[in-house]
Amino acid sequence: MQAYAVAVDRLSRFVNRLLLLRDPVPLQECKFRFDSFPYVDGAEVDVWIRHALSWQVPVLIARLGTNVHTALADHPLVSMHLKRLELSEVKLTGSYLDLSSCTALEDLKLHACMICVGEIFSLSLKRMKITRCNFNFGAITHISVSSLRSLELVDCKGQTPLLESMPSLERAFVKLGYFDEDRCGKGTDACYCDEATNAEHSGEDTDEDSYGLCEKCCGQCANCCDNDNNPPCVLLGGLSSVTYFKLATNSLFTIKRDLKRCPMFSNLRTLVLDDWYLNDGVPAIFCFLLRTPLLQTLILKLRKEIEDYDVDKGFSKSMEWFIYLPHLRVIEVECTTSGNRVGLWELLKILDVGVKYPQQCTVTVRRV
């Protein structure tokens, strides 16, 4: 450890001399990478970042690559010239992601970060990509980026963030990780009901199927579908303006909860459901289709695991009366050769009934 401390100290002195004594000439790009160091001083890294911003740099990339998340200062960045910001392996707290003072910022990428902020805010952002990050446990992070056009939220953990209205959004890719907080506490001890953080809460290693918890909510704990104190919609409400939406999930809990209250997807033309459950996910598919009046392309990629799908004839028959897809022209299904053919047939039959002009709709089933 002493050798590491010496190396970190030498690094700090070198970068301080390189940056702080440099002539204040504008930079085109500034990049920090510390892959070979087990840790760095977060306070100093924060000073370096803000000093680089004073040079009117339009592109700032900080990929720390250390063994621990380096905590940066908790106050906002300020720059009228920054257009692209990339942060990796850092801990963000306070109002750090209040980007209202970065008036030219259009691209934001966060990777493997700890996001412990109440809000991500920007009026200028056009593209945002958040991958493999940990959101705050026990508190919802609000994402308010009204000018956003492209969003990727992939493989994150913690409490699912709340997406506020994004009327300019065109494309979205959401792949839910294991959001451990998004579980109902039914079936656990009452004193843990509103925590929903342990394995028993999430349905793991118990007889209760965690993907079925949405239908069995107690209606009282913070994550229940039937709790009126919940926000009306966490994820899907903010995505209602998209024209292209790709969704993949390890758990349908959040999606089912949102579908009970989300608005219409009035602009959606292409819907891609990736790594999807044929069994538990079929009702969710129909909920989507009831809210996508202009849908043109539906791409369904089923899970590779073999599922025992019980076809509910009554449910299937009732859906035939409600599903109406006058603009649907392309249906693509990707499944395993040993997948449940009966369940897939029932799904396609309902879609066929809902299509206004079946002869103009191309249906492709590819088995892998």
Side-chain angles (χ1 to χ4, degrees):
M1 290 300 296
Q2 185 176 359
Y4 284 138
V6 171
V8 171
D9 179 65
R10 289 177 177 175
L11 170 71
S12 297
R13 285 188 283 126
F14 170 76
V15 177
N16 281 329
R17 290 174 181 173
L18 177 67
L19 294 181
L20 304 183
L21 300 180
R22 177 184 179 276
D23 291 335
V25 178
L27 288 176
Q28 292 300 313
E29 179 176 307
C30 183
K31 182 184 294 185
F32 299 97
R33 295 190 66 171
F34 307 112
D35 293 340
S36 59
F37 290 84
Y39 67 92
V40 290
D41 188 324
E44 287 201 288
V45 173
D46 190 73
V47 169
W48 300 336
I49 289 175
R50 297 174 192 274
H51 193 70
L53 292 179
S54 70
W55 294 334
Q56 304 178 10
V57 62
V59 178
L60 178 62
I61 301 171
R63 299 173 182 168
L64 301 195
T66 55
N67 294 337
V68 296
H69 288 88
T70 302
L72 302 181
D74 61 359
H75 51 282
L77 298 176
V78 178
S79 173
M80 294 187 297
H81 304 277
L82 184 64
K83 295 182 179 180
R84 179 173 139 212
L85 175 64
E86 297 185 20
L87 300 174
S88 299
E89 299 98 15
V90 296
K91 182 177 181 180
L92 306 170
T93 61
S95 55
Y96 193 93
L97 290 178
D98 177 356
L99 302 169
S100 56
S101 297
C102 297
T103 53
L105 185 65
E106 294 188 347
D107 288 88
L108 174 65
K109 292 184 179 180
L110 303 176
H111 176 73
C113 296
M114 292 185 66
I115 302 176
C116 304
V117 302
E119 184 178 33
I120 300 174
F121 180 83
S122 172
L123 294 175
S124 60
L125 270 181
K126 299 293 188 294
R127 292 161 292 275
M128 182 166 65
K129 184 176 182 179
I130 303 177
T131 56
R132 306 185 74 85
C133 291
N134 288 359
F135 281 91
N136 235 347
F137 282 90
I140 296 179
T141 298
H142 290 238
I143 298 180
S144 179
V145 281
S146 56
S147 298
L148 203 68
R149 295 178 183 173
S150 176
L151 170 68
E152 290 189 34
L153 182 63
V154 179
D155 287 333
C156 296
K157 298 181 180 180
Q159 186 84 49
T160 307
L162 188 150
L163 302 181
E164 297 186 0
S165 177
M166 294 180 278
S168 302
L169 192 65
E170 298 172 357
R171 299 177 64 89
F173 173 30
V174 175
K175 182 181 180 183
L176 295 183
Y178 292 97
F179 285 97
D180 300 329
E181 289 279 315
D182 289 11
R183 297 289 186 273
C184 171
K186 183 177 179 179
T188 63
D189 190 274
C191 66
Y192 295 105
C193 188
D194 56 357
E195 293 181 7
T197 55
N198 57 19
E200 185 179 8
H201 245 62
S202 64
E204 299 172 4
D205 302 323
T206 69
D207 294 333
E208 187 169 23
D209 178 11
S210 61
Y211 303 121
L213 286 174
C214 192
E215 289 86 2
K216 306 172 185 177
C217 284
C218 65
Q220 298 176 5
C221 65
N223 288 308
C224 281
C225 300
D226 298 323
N227 188 342
D228 293 334
N229 293 322
N230 271 342
C233 218
V234 178
L235 275 175
L236 299 183
L239 303 175
S240 59
S241 298
V242 293
T243 57
Y244 176 94
F245 184 26
K246 181 178 179 181
L247 174 64
T249 178
N250 289 305
S251 168
L252 288 168
F253 185 91
T254 301
I255 301 303
K256 286 183 175 181
R257 182 180 62 187
D258 273 12
L259 282 172
K260 288 176 176 285
R261 300 180 178 182
C262 81
M264 299 288 286
F265 291 86
S266 301
N267 299 323
L268 189 62
R269 302 310 199 267
T270 301
L271 175 62
V272 181
L273 300 176
D274 194 10
D275 198 23
W276 203 255
Y277 301 89
L278 181 60
N279 193 342
D280 204 38
V282 167
I285 294 175
F286 292 141
C287 285
F288 271 117
L289 297 180
L290 289 170
R291 292 167 170 82
T292 54
L294 299 181
L295 189 66
Q296 297 174 353
T297 302
L298 174 63
I299 300 174
L300 182 60
K301 299 182 180 181
L302 301 179
R303 286 210 151 199
K304 291 183 170 55
E305 293 90 344
I306 301 175
E307 297 182 81
D308 295 326
Y309 180 65
D310 295 327
V311 179
D312 186 339
K313 298 288 186 180
F315 175 77
S316 299
K317 194 66 178 177
S318 66
M319 283 296 101
E320 293 178 7
W321 290 95
F322 295 103
I323 300 297
Y324 180 60
L325 304 165
H327 302 281
L328 189 61
R329 296 293 180 267
V330 177
I331 301 174
E332 296 181 10
V333 180
E334 183 179 298
C335 58
T336 61
T337 55
S338 56
N340 189 302
R341 300 186 180 185
V342 176
L344 181 58
W345 169 251
E346 285 294 316
L347 173 61
L348 293 176
K349 186 170 70 173
I350 296 172
L351 292 175
D352 183 61
V353 172
V355 174
K356 185 175 182 180
Y357 303 108
Q359 67 276 13
Q360 296 181 12
C361 184
T362 302
V363 180
T364 304
V365 179
R366 187 165 68 93
R367 296 188 178 273
V368 295

